[in-house]
Amino acid sequence: MILQVQSICIYIMILQVHLDASNNQLTDIPLGACNYWMHSLEKLYLSDNKITEISKNITELSRLSTLDLSRNMIGTLPPTHFWTGQRLNEVNLAGNRLALLTHTPPL
């Protein structure tokens, strides 16, 4: 599984825009892998994997505008102060195990 992620990293260093790692039985994206596209990745598709949480390395992708984590095993969301990117405007979390949102943004 790590080999697939590493090969995706090499590819994304060239494209530096979109990454589709759906249907790969991933449980997480390694911290070192995200460093390669920290300031360039705009769309990240991770649907139909086995991800149980949204790790901090995903929340720090500064140019991310689209995040698809549908059909994983995510139970909670990270606190809003973890999200450093300001371009995120589309998030798909359908088909996860979210039971309760623990933080509500101020009105």
Side-chain angles (χ1 to χ4, degrees):
M1 202 52 60
I2 292 175
L3 278 178
Q4 289 178 339
V5 173
Q6 288 175 346
S7 65
I8 290 170
C9 290
I10 293 167
Y11 176 71
I12 201 66
M13 285 173 56
I14 297 166
L15 270 186
Q16 298 184 346
V17 177
H18 303 144
L19 171 61
D20 188 342
S22 300
N23 298 301
N24 278 296
Q25 297 188 26
L26 299 174
T27 56
D28 195 5
I29 301 296
L31 180 60
C34 280
N35 289 336
Y36 288 115
W37 60 74
M38 181 68 69
H39 301 292
S40 58
L41 190 65
E42 296 175 5
K43 297 181 186 235
L44 179 57
Y45 301 96
L46 296 170
S47 64
D48 295 297
N49 281 295
K50 296 182 178 183
I51 298 170
T52 58
E53 66 180 4
I54 302 173
S55 57
K56 193 169 187 231
N57 55 353
I58 291 175
T59 66
E60 293 177 340
L61 295 170
S62 63
R63 294 182 52 91
L64 194 65
S65 64
T66 301
L67 176 60
D68 184 356
L69 286 163
S70 60
R71 296 177 302 281
N72 277 283
M73 297 184 239
I74 299 169
T76 60
L77 298 177
T80 55
H81 66 272
F82 278 14
W83 296 91
T84 58
Q86 298 195 0
R87 297 180 182 201
L88 188 62
N89 59 28
E90 183 181 342
V91 178
N92 186 350
L93 294 167
N96 279 285
R97 299 177 178 176
L98 292 171
L100 175 66
L101 296 177
T102 57
H103 184 270
T104 305
L107 297 175

